[in-house]
Amino acid sequence: MVLADTHEAGHRSEPGDPVIAGDQPMARPQGPALPPNPYRALGSPYLWRASVQLATDAVMGVAGLAVLTALGAAVCLVPAGLVGVPLVILAGRALHLLGAAERQRWSAICELDIPPQPRPALSGPLLASAAALARSRSSWQLVAYFGVLAPWSLVTLLGSALVWGLPLALVMLPAYYTQLPSGSASLGLITVGDLGTALLVSAVTLLLWAALAPLVVRGLLAADVLLARTLLALPRDVTLAQRVEYLTESRARVVDAAEAERRRIERDLHDGAQQRLVAMAMTLGRARSRLKGSGQDAALELVDEARASAQEAIIELRDLTRGLHPPVLTDRGLDAALSAVAARLSIPVDVDVDVAPRPSATVEGIAYFVVTEALTNVAKHAQSRKAWVRIRRTADRLAVTIGDDGVGGAKVSPGGGLAGLADRVSGVDGRLHVTSPPGGPTLIEVEMQCA
């Protein structure tokens, strides 16, 4: 029996819950199993840990029974007046604290990390807190867990006694059988009245214990783990839903960080390298003025070449920064930024943008990038006479449509430009669809989450 298994997902921690680093889903570590060889199993620390776990079930079972009894008594007092409501809340809080202690016991002894369950809000108004406790799925699971653990702990306690207590008494028989009132020990069909018989019983008991103890402990622990994972841990549907929610949020954080980094790079290029290139071009212009008429035609030619290269670098750098995140997009939004892009193209582009209220900077940046890349491809490859861009916001969705009257035939192929746009759109829970029959027209439709 494996003492530790994988835990499917993370948990949104409530006050008082064990905190998982980063509040993120974590996998439960796969723990070692009891060795199948009984003699090796006897030397395994996990046999002894499992035995301690089974023996201490009774302690938690008694504690759970006491809390359930108090909770039941408090519920019975509710119809008699509001005095029962605070008692219900106190008992419910004690129930969840006991559940947290039980998870700690599993983790400390058996290295089995059981994901904590969400706790109901019990710090508000009394009636609202009591209602939250009654509606809480985790509360009912804890009631069921400790309700089953109380009688089950008697089985594990008896099993521990049979595994350890009875064999120990028989193994030590040669040391004390003569001290018994009759001077011998009756073991059913066998009466131990001499040292040889006592040693034989001790040896047989030791061999049987070495062979059977790991199997009994393995079976009892398997049932114990099943009970804990069924009623003490989060249900699988809840853990999967929480994992999907966490992955969605973490993906959004990654996309936001990437867009923020693009904006930072744009600012650094605009305020740093671009300004230095402009200053260098101006300096070269002054140098050319001083060299003009000096007869140093070779030097003048070199200055002209350097100045032309600087101006080309400035143009390329401006184009690069516009592709990253232009300042006009931050300052004035999509309408102004895309109108500036359309004005630079060689074909007429009709831009129609209505996105009030403005979406987040991340969504704006992705929409700008998609439209810019699509229009660049139209100008280079579509052989079209005109293009159009239409952007609308409806509730929490942003719809972007880019069209042209070109030759058509565009498709989303792996590694292609449209596939890259689709990947970038998917980062904000978006979808990209391309309609481009041969002969045109071509429509690129994008829908993104922008709440």
Side-chain angles (χ1 to χ4, degrees), residues 44 65 98 208 213 304-305 311 352:
S44 169
L65 184 61
L98 189 62
L208 290 176
D304 286 340
E305 290 179 2
Q311 290 173 341
D352 182 9

Side-chain angles (χ1 to χ4, degrees), residues 347-349 374-375 377-379 381-389 401-410 434-437 439-444:
I347 60 173
V349 180
L375 290 179
N377 289 337
V378 169
H381 309 296
Q383 303 177 29
S384 60
R385 293 187 300 269
K386 63 178 180 179
W388 58 92
V389 176
T401 304
I402 308 105
D404 68 80
D405 61 352
V407 296
V434 177
T435 303
S436 184
T442 296
L443 285 180
I444 300 177

Side-chain angles (χ1 to χ4, degrees), residues 81-291:
L82 293 179
V83 66
V85 176
L87 296 178
V88 167
I89 295 172
L90 289 176
R93 189 182 297 275
L95 180 66
H96 281 274
L97 290 175
L98 189 62
E102 177 69 342
R103 295 185 194 93
Q104 290 294 328
R105 182 174 73 102
W106 276 104
S107 178
I109 298 176
C110 289
E111 298 181 345
L112 179 64
D113 294 327
I114 300 175
Q117 299 171 332
R119 296 185 186 181
L122 302 179
S123 58
L126 292 180
L127 292 178
S129 298
L133 182 67
R135 292 192 303 267
S136 171
R137 183 174 181 175
S138 59
S139 298
W140 289 105
Q141 283 189 237
L142 289 174
V143 169
Y145 176 78
F146 287 109
V148 175
L149 182 63
W152 169 249
S153 64
L154 297 178
V155 176
T156 59
L157 183 62
L158 179 60
S160 299
L162 291 176
V163 167
W164 298 104
L166 181 61
L168 181 62
L170 293 177
V171 168
M172 298 297 295
L173 190 61
Y176 66 86
Y177 78 94
T178 57
Q179 306 300 321
L180 298 176
S182 62
S184 63
S186 178
L187 304 177
L189 299 177
I190 301 176
T191 299
V192 179
D194 58 80
L195 182 60
T197 304
L199 290 175
L200 179 61
V201 169
S202 178
V204 171
T205 301
L206 188 61
L207 290 176
L208 290 176
W209 175 80
L212 298 179
L215 300 180
V216 175
V217 171
R218 186 194 304 269
L220 290 175
L221 187 66
D224 224 18
V225 170
L226 179 61
L227 175 63
R229 295 187 63 192
T230 302
L231 295 177
L232 195 60
L234 283 171
R236 184 172 179 82
D237 58 340
V238 176
T239 57
L240 290 176
Q242 289 187 350
R243 183 165 182 82
V244 169
E245 180 182 359
Y246 169 79
L247 292 176
T248 301
E249 292 175 354
S250 64
R251 182 184 64 179
R253 288 195 297 270
V254 169
V255 173
D256 289 344
E259 290 299 320
E261 182 65 12
R262 288 189 182 94
R263 292 193 294 271
R264 185 193 64 79
I265 294 173
E266 184 277 327
R267 288 193 303 269
D268 291 346
L269 291 175
H270 182 272
D271 299 338
Q274 184 172 322
Q275 297 302 323
R276 291 191 181 95
L277 285 173
V278 171
M280 184 178 69
M282 294 174 64
T283 302
L284 290 172
R286 291 196 300 269
R288 186 183 187 284
S289 299
R290 294 184 181 182
L291 288 173

